[in-house]
């Protein structure tokens, strides 16, 4: 199990190309909430996305563990957004 000192975080601006790259390395596929995706995309397109503390979570090997709806919304809207990005989380935490 990863220790807390191996987890890093930052506030980052995610571009559509960066979002697409992250979506290319998803740890486990599953249902993406389409209503959330639409709402997120609408806010991003309108420049009304609010940094709310919900993170994009990446494992130590860079696999995407959480945040697919936000990343899909970014790609679909073509608009960048600011978010918390947490890296180094054990993939077993999301199984």
């Amino acid at each position: 199990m990863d220790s807390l000192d191996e987890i890093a975080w930052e506030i980052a601006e995610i571009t559509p190309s960066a979002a697409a790259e992250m979506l290319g390395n998803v740890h486990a596929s599953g249902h993406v909430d389409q209503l959330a995706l639409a709402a997120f995309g609408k806010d991003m397109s309108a420049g009304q996305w609010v940094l709310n503390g919900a993170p994009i979570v990446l494992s130590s090997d860079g696999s995407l563990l959480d945040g697919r709806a936000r990343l899909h919304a970014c790609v679909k809207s073509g608009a960048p957004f600011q978010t918390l990005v947490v890296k180094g989380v054990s993939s077993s935490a999301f199984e």
Side-chain angles (χ1 to χ4, degrees):
M1 180 175 226
D2 295 334
S3 66
L4 288 178
D5 61 347
E6 295 172 354
I7 295 176
W9 63 272
E10 66 178 334
I11 303 296
E13 181 168 282
I14 306 297
T15 63
S17 62
E21 186 175 326
M22 289 180 197
L23 287 165
N25 190 18
V26 176
H27 173 69
S29 62
H31 174 74
V32 174
D33 183 338
Q34 295 299 311
L35 292 175
L37 190 157
F40 296 160
K42 182 179 174 185
D43 287 346
M44 289 173 191
S45 292
Q48 296 178 340
W49 178 259
V50 176
L51 180 63
N52 63 9
I56 302 297
V57 181
L58 303 171
S59 71
S60 55
D61 70 2
S63 297
L64 178 64
L65 300 175
D66 192 33
R68 288 184 304 134
R70 284 163 278 155
L71 294 173
H72 278 293
C74 178
V75 171
K76 187 173 181 177
S77 71
F81 72 107
Q82 273 199 330
T83 191
L84 175 63
V85 178
V86 177
K87 300 175 182 177
V89 175
S90 174
S91 57
S92 65
F94 282 81
E95 292 178 0

